[in-house]
Amino acid sequence: MRFLLTVAILLCVLQCTYLFKNERSVGLADKISQLKELSAKKGFIKLNSAKFKDYVKWASRNYSFVIMFTALETHRQCTICKPVYEEFSITAKSFQMTYGLSDRLFFGVIDFDDGSEIFQKLQINTAPLIVFFPPKRKMNRINDLQTLDMQRLGFSAEAIGRWITDRTDLEFKIFRPPNYASTVGLLLLIFVGSVVMYFKQENFEFLQNRTVWAALTVVFCLLMTSGQMWNHIRSPPMYHKSANGISYIHGSSQGQFISETYLIFMLNACFAGCIIMIIDSGLGKENSVSKITTTVAVLFAALLFSAVLSIFKAKAGGYPYRGLL
């Protein structure tokens, strides 16, 4: 009799376990289906307190969430919230274009006016903030979770995408929408400039000056070699504040600060000026002033090149050469 009772109890336990797992599986499938439907249009979901509790704090979820906490309303006076929101939207849409309606990762946005209690519960006192919510992780406060360091990494879509890839191993390319306004403006500027130059040819004799074109070429090369395009694409911070003070030069060859760009531009510009002085003073001039000028220019060129080389050595530790500084 006891044996039969024991078997019956075991069968009941197994049946209950099966039903629980089956119900959990059906519930998870329903949640993922709802999330896919909500994120199909924009690539992300606008969350409020109820949706955050149902989809993010749900204990049985096996998917990750990347959520931007923001304050977009005008009366909140958050000037940086809108540009970060736009970059976050591009990131979410790019992920959707790469993986479709994935069931592994979802994007969400919580505005302070729609979920102030979530801000209070997680002890979030600043905005904007981008947070990664992995599956099955306690989230009693923001310190328990991983946040994007915008001061160090920036907030461009590319930076957000790399940060997400490091945590999910899901690689995807950022697809920015085409900016037709800038293209039309550039074409219009070229057209107007061409018309003006055609009817006012006598006022543009300076365009035939080789010195002007040489100077413009040098400036263009300096802009490109100093990293201005990196700043335009990655939107890095001006500098980095840390416990050790302010860093104006990024410590890795994979990044840079805006202040670093200006420094490299000035060093390269001064180096180019020294080379021009050396060439100009050494062309058929044998007087003492030319010799002194050439010698001083050579010394300054060596110091400037050494400074640039030392900066590169500091950023690329495996580089075998270093400067004098």
Side-chain angles (χ1 to χ4, degrees):
M1 188 69 179
R2 291 182 179 179
F3 175 75
L4 294 176
L5 182 61
T6 303
V7 171
I9 293 174
L10 287 175
L11 290 174
C12 289
V13 171
L14 291 174
Q15 181 69 17
C16 292
T17 304
Y18 172 78
L19 291 175
F20 174 77
K21 288 185 177 180
N22 187 50
E23 182 180 357
R24 179 182 177 276
S25 176
V26 173
L28 180 61
D30 289 340
K31 294 280 187 182
I32 291 177
S33 177
Q34 293 170 13
L35 288 169
K36 288 182 177 180
E37 183 179 353
L38 291 171
S39 59
K41 185 175 181 180
K42 293 185 176 181
F44 63 88
I45 306 165
K46 284 193 174 182
L47 298 170
N48 52 27
S49 298
K51 290 181 178 178
F52 182 82
K53 182 179 180 180
D54 290 341
Y55 298 123
V56 183
K57 291 207 68 176
W58 188 47
S60 299
R61 68 180 175 90
N62 65 347
Y63 50 83
S64 302
F65 243 107
V66 176
I67 298 180
M68 175 183 175
F69 294 85
T70 185
L72 294 171
E73 296 297 328
T74 308
H75 64 275
R76 298 297 176 188
Q77 298 182 352
C78 179
T79 56
I80 195 177
C81 284
K82 186 174 181 180
V84 176
Y85 172 79
E86 292 173 352
E87 293 295 315
F88 185 81
S89 302
I90 293 173
T91 306
K93 201 65 180 177
S94 298
F95 179 84
Q96 188 182 75
M97 292 173 66
T98 303
Y99 291 98
L101 297 176
S102 172
D103 56 359
R104 293 182 56 188
L105 177 65
F106 296 95
F107 292 78
V109 173
I110 300 179
D111 192 274
F112 182 80
D113 291 282
D114 295 331
S116 57
E117 57 272 20
I118 303 174
F119 279 72
Q120 295 173 2
K121 189 167 185 177
L122 295 179
Q123 299 179 13
I124 298 175
N125 52 18
T126 183
L129 190 67
I130 298 177
V131 185
F132 176 67
F133 291 84
K136 300 178 182 179
R137 173 70 66 85
K138 292 182 179 181
M139 50 185 80
N140 296 324
R141 55 179 183 172
I142 196 62
N143 293 336
D144 299 330
L145 300 165
Q146 301 180 57
T147 61
L148 173 65
D149 187 353
M150 298 185 191
Q151 290 290 333
R152 185 172 61 89
L153 301 176
F155 58 83
S156 66
E158 289 78 10
I160 299 173
R162 289 193 302 273
W163 179 76
I164 293 173
T165 299
D166 291 340
R167 281 145 188 82
T168 62
D169 294 328
L170 296 172
E171 296 186 6
F172 58 99
K173 182 181 178 181
I174 299 299
F175 299 94
R176 291 188 175 274
N179 189 353
Y180 297 108
S182 60
T183 304
V184 173
L186 178 60
L187 293 176
L188 183 62
L189 180 63
I190 293 174
F191 173 76
V192 173
S194 301
V195 171
V196 171
M197 290 178 63
Y198 178 79
F199 289 102
K200 297 288 185 180
Q201 297 182 22
E202 65 279 1
N203 296 330
F204 291 93
E205 294 180 356
F206 68 93
L207 293 178
Q208 301 179 5
N209 191 319
R210 291 184 298 176
T211 304
V212 172
W213 284 107
L216 292 175
T217 303
V218 170
V219 171
F220 176 79
C221 293
L222 291 173
L223 288 173
M224 293 298 102
T225 55
S226 62
Q228 296 295 330
M229 289 305 298
W230 173 285
N231 294 343
H232 178 72
I233 295 172
R234 304 296 180 104
S235 301
M238 176 64 73
Y239 49 81
H240 176 61
K241 290 183 178 180
S242 64
N244 299 325
I246 299 177
S247 299
Y248 295 98
I249 298 177
H250 199 284
S252 170
S253 59
Q254 303 299 317
Q256 72 175 23
F257 301 132
I258 294 178
S259 58
E260 180 181 342
T261 302
Y262 294 154
L263 176 61
I264 296 299
F265 179 89
M266 289 186 292
L267 289 174
N268 286 337
C270 293
F271 179 77
C274 290
I275 298 299
I276 293 173
M277 289 177 60
I278 293 171
I279 296 173
D280 184 64
S281 301
L283 290 178
K285 299 178 181 179
E286 299 294 337
N287 56 71
S288 58
V289 176
S290 298
K291 292 181 180 180
I292 294 174
T293 303
T294 303
T295 303
V296 172
V298 168
L299 292 175
F300 271 102
L303 291 174
L304 292 167
F305 184 79
S306 177
V308 174
L309 192 61
S310 298
I311 293 174
F312 184 77
K313 171 68 175 178
K315 294 174 66 66
Y319 191 69
Y321 306 105
R322 60 173 299 171
L324 301 174
L325 302 179

